[in-house]
C-alpha cells in the first residue's frame, strides 16, 4: 500500500529553507570541524614525513590544503542539490509485508522491529488533513529515534493506513504504538552541535600524540632502545637524524622518559577533558522548572 503527499503540503511537515546563504551556512557548518580535523592530521603527517627525509619546506605544504578545500567544494555542491531538490519533492509512505519505506522506490526498507510509533495529529488550519509521523531507529544505535512525517487526507488515506497497520499488528504481533489525535512531544535540539563536535575533535588532536607519549615509557623494557620499535622501517640516515635530534634536546634517557611521561600525561588529560566537555555541550538542555513560591 502506497501513500503519496503532494509537494504543496510540505509546509505542514517541514520548515521551508529559503535559497539564501544563511540556509547554506546552516547545512555546511557542521562539516567544518571535521574538515579542520582532517586538515590538521594530514598536515602533521606530511610535516613529519618531510622532516624525516630532510625536505621540510613551507612551500611543500600548500598542496595539503587542497584536500580539505576539495572536500568542502564537494559538500557544498551536494548540499546545494539537496537544498534545491527538497523544495519540489513529494513525500511517500509505502507499507509492505516486512516494514515501511519513505521513498518512492520502496528502498531502503525500515523493518517492523525498528518502528517505535505512528503519530496522527490534526492540522488546525486544514481540518481535512492529518499529519502522520513515523518514529523509528536506523541502522546505527542511537538514544533517540528518527522521525519522518507526511500529510494525508483524513477521510480516505488515514483510515486506510490505520486499518493496514492494525491488521499487520495482529498478523505479526508487532509492538509499535499508534497515537491518535495526540501532539507529538517536541524534541529538544542539542545545545550547540558545532561547538560540541569542535571540542570533541580538539580533544582527539591532543589525545592522539598524548597517549603514545605517556604509554611508551611505561611499556618500555630496560636495555631496549626508546624508539627502536617505531623506527624499524626507517633508513639508517633517518635513524641517525632522529638520534641527533634526541641528543641535542635531552641529556639522558631518564630525562627523555620524564619528558614523555609529563608531556604525554598533560596532553592526554587535556584531550580527555575536551572530549568530555564536547559531549556535555551537545546534550539537550534540561527542562526548566518554575521556582516554587514560599508560603508567606
Amino acid at each position: 500500500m502506497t501513500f503519496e503527499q503532494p509537494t504543496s503540503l510540505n509546509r505542514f511537515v517541514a520548515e521551508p529553507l529559503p535559497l539564501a546563504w544563511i540556509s547554506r551556512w546552516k547545512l555546511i557548518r557542521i562539516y567544518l570541524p571535521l574538515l579542520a580535523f582532517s586538515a590538521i592530521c594530514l598536515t602533521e603527517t606530511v610535516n613529519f614525513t618531510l622532516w624525516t627525509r630532510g625536505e621540510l619546506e613551507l612551500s611543500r605544504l600548500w598542496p595539503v590544503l587542497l584536500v580539505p578545500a576539495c572536500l568542502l567544494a564537494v559538500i557544498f555542491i551536494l548540499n546545494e542539490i539537496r537544498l534545491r531538490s527538497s523544495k519540489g519533492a513529494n513525500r511517500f509512505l509505502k507499507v509492505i509485508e516486512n516494514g515501511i519505506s519513505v521513498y518512492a522506490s520502496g528502498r531502503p526498507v525500515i523493518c517492523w522491529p525498528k518502528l517505535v510509533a505512528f503519530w496522527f495529529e490534526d492540522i488546525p488550519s486544514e481540518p481535512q488533513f492529518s499529519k502522520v509521523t513515523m518514529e523509528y531507529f536506523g541502522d546505527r544505535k542511537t538514544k533517540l529515534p528518527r522521525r519522518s512525517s507526511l500529510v494525508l487526507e483524513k477521510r480516505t488515506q488515514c483510515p486506510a493506513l490505520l486499518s493496514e497497520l492494525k491488521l499487520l499488528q495482529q498478523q505479526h504481533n508487532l509492538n509499535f504504538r499508534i497515537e491518535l489525535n495526540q501532539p507529538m512531544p517536541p524534541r529538544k535540539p542539542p545545545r550547540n552541535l558545532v561547538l560540541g563536535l569542535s571540542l570533541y575533535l580538539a580533544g582527539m588532536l591532543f589525545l592522539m600524540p598524548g597517549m603514545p607519549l605517556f604509554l611508551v615509557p611505561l611499556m618500555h623494557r630496560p636495555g631496549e632502545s626508546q624508539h627502536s620499535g617505531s623506527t624499524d622501517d626507517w633508513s639508517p640516515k633517518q635513524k641517525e637524524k632522529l638520534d641527533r635530534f634526541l641528543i641535542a634536546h635531552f641529556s639522558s634517557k631518564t630525562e627523555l622518559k620524564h619528558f614523555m611521561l609529563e608531556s604525554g600525561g598533560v596532553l592526554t588529560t587535556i584531550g580527555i577533558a575536551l572530549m568530555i566537555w564536547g559531549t556535555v555541550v551537545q546534550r539537550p538542555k534540561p527542562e526548566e522548572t518554575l521556582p516554587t513560591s514560599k508560603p508567606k
Side-chain angles (χ1 to χ4, degrees):
M1 184 176 291
T2 302
F3 301 90
E4 182 177 359
Q5 176 225 283
T7 309
S8 58
L9 299 178
N10 279 348
R11 65 185 185 277
F12 297 118
V13 294
E15 187 176 338
L17 290 174
L19 290 175
W21 283 109
I22 188 171
S23 301
R24 296 180 176 94
W25 170 247
K26 288 181 179 180
L27 294 172
I28 292 176
R29 65 179 180 175
I30 187 62
Y31 298 103
L32 296 181
L34 294 171
L35 291 175
F37 176 80
S38 60
I40 293 173
C41 291
L42 187 59
T43 303
E44 290 180 348
T45 304
V46 173
N47 270 344
F48 186 73
T49 303
L50 293 177
W51 177 79
T52 57
R53 295 177 180 177
E55 302 174 355
L56 181 58
E57 296 178 4
L58 294 179
S59 59
R60 291 176 174 265
L61 297 179
W62 70 266
V64 177
L65 301 178
L66 292 178
V67 177
C70 292
L71 290 176
L72 181 61
V74 172
I75 292 171
F76 179 83
I77 293 172
L78 293 177
N79 276 324
E80 189 72 15
I81 295 173
R82 174 188 171 189
L83 190 64
R84 293 180 181 274
S85 61
S86 63
K87 296 177 72 64
N90 292 3
R91 291 176 179 251
F92 293 88
L93 171 61
K94 287 197 171 187
V95 182
I96 55 180
E97 189 70 19
N98 59 336
I100 66 170
S101 176
V102 294
Y103 297 94
S105 62
R107 292 289 184 273
V109 176
I110 304 167
C111 299
W112 292 119
K114 296 181 180 180
L115 266 295
V116 178
F118 287 81
W119 296 78
F120 291 78
E121 300 178 68
D122 291 335
I123 301 176
S125 59
E126 299 289 342
Q128 71 272 26
F129 295 115
S130 181
K131 177 183 176 182
V132 182
T133 302
M134 290 74 67
E135 280 191 313
Y136 61 93
F137 287 99
D139 296 331
R140 296 181 180 179
K141 294 182 180 180
T142 55
K143 294 182 179 179
L144 297 176
R146 298 179 183 179
R147 292 177 176 180
S148 180
S149 303
L150 78 164
V151 175
L152 300 179
E153 292 181 358
K154 189 179 292 186
R155 293 182 59 184
T156 58
Q157 292 179 313
C158 287
L161 176 59
L162 282 170
S163 176
E164 185 72 12
L165 292 177
K166 291 179 180 179
L167 178 62
L168 289 169
Q169 274 186 327
Q170 294 175 357
Q171 291 179 346
H172 302 286
N173 194 23
L174 303 176
N175 296 323
F176 60 81
R177 306 191 319 272
I178 298 177
E179 304 287 349
L180 299 175
N181 302 324
Q182 300 227 4
M184 201 169 182
R187 178 176 294 175
K188 293 186 177 182
R191 291 182 179 180
N192 195 325
L193 187 59
V194 177
L195 176 61
L197 183 59
S198 301
L199 291 171
Y200 192 89
L201 293 177
M204 289 187 65
L205 287 175
F206 281 93
L207 198 62
M208 285 191 299
M211 285 291 288
L213 284 173
F214 184 74
L215 293 177
V216 166
L218 297 178
M219 300 172 63
H220 175 63
R221 298 177 182 177
E224 184 181 359
S225 176
Q226 189 77 16
H227 55 275
S228 61
S230 61
T231 60
D232 290 340
D233 297 331
W234 288 24
S235 66
K237 185 177 180 181
Q238 291 174 334
K239 292 182 180 180
E240 182 183 356
K241 182 174 182 178
L242 178 60
D243 289 334
R244 288 201 308 267
F245 176 82
L246 294 177
I247 293 173
H249 292 83
F250 303 98
S251 59
S252 64
K253 291 184 178 180
T254 302
E255 183 182 355
L256 173 61
K257 182 178 180 180
H258 289 166
F259 170 80
M260 294 178 69
L261 285 172
E262 293 173 2
S263 59
V266 172
L267 291 175
T268 301
T269 303
I270 294 175
I272 294 175
L274 287 174
M275 293 174 71
I276 295 175
W277 188 11
T279 303
V280 172
V281 167
Q282 295 181 64
R283 290 180 179 176
K285 295 181 180 180
E287 294 186 5
E288 297 181 357
T289 56
L290 295 175
T292 57
S293 60
K294 296 181 180 180
K296 296 182 179 179

